[in-house]
Amino acid sequence: MLTLPPSVRVYIAAEPTDLRKSFDGLSALVSQRFGADPLCGHLFVFRNRRGDQVRVLFWDRTGYMIVAKKLARGRFHLACDLPKGATHVEVEAAELSLMLEGFDLSEAVRRKRWRPSVRKIAPSKQSLMDARGIAISRAT
């Protein structure tokens, strides 16, 4: 299982890619197809036409790194259907890990999880608050 910080995003190319490309070729594809900066530290995943090979490109502060996997039998399956005209799709690190392990997640159901909502505070009422939302008086 991959353990990535939540700030790292995973993007999978929607179209098959010529995996004979190396660092420069794949980073150029990231700029062209994804419209993203290849130096941002996110993971960019490319599959070949047959779907039995994957390359993951990322920048690790000192240079590009490519992780490759070729299956002896079977194909890599995406967890979701791609929208028409999409150049790439963003997935979670857990989905990428399961995809690399050979799981077909097309039939899987994602359960709802609680996520904290973003509070909107009127500018006139903005003040210092602690983590519980209790106003903190300023020392004068």
Side-chain angles (χ1 to χ4, degrees):
M1 175 75 77
L2 294 172
T3 335
L4 298 171
S7 59
V8 175
R9 295 182 171 182
V10 179
Y11 299 103
I12 300 178
E15 309 244 339
T17 305
D18 179 9
L19 294 184
R20 293 176 292 180
K21 295 180 187 296
S22 188
F23 301 99
D24 295 329
L26 291 177
S27 64
L29 282 178
V30 169
S31 298
Q32 294 168 358
R33 283 191 191 173
F34 295 36
D37 179 17
L39 304 176
C40 64
H42 299 313
L43 302 180
F44 300 97
V45 182
F46 302 93
R47 295 180 305 148
N48 66 345
R49 180 170 286 131
R50 284 182 285 175
D52 64 345
Q53 291 185 45
V54 167
R55 301 274 193 279
V56 180
L57 174 76
F58 64 96
W59 177 264
D60 74 348
R61 294 186 304 193
T62 58
Y64 284 116
M65 188 165 174
I66 294 178
V67 178
K69 184 167 185 176
K70 180 179 181 179
L71 295 176
R73 187 173 34 175
R75 302 188 189 291
F76 292 105
H77 296 279
L78 290 178
C80 59
D81 293 328
L82 297 171
K84 282 202 170 198
T87 58
H88 64 281
V89 64
E90 184 177 353
V91 299
E92 293 183 12
E95 292 176 39
L96 174 64
S97 180
L98 291 171
M99 184 182 99
L100 293 176
E101 286 299 318
F103 287 93
D104 183 2
L105 299 174
S106 60
E107 301 288 325
V109 177
R110 180 177 292 277
R111 304 280 184 220
K112 288 187 179 182
R113 299 284 188 232
W114 178 82
R115 293 189 186 229
S117 61
V118 178
R119 284 193 216 167
K120 293 185 180 179
I121 301 173
S124 61
K125 295 186 178 182
Q126 285 183 348
S127 63
L128 295 175
M129 293 188 172
D130 67 4
R132 296 171 291 175
I134 300 172
I136 300 171
S137 60
R138 295 181 188 207
T140 55

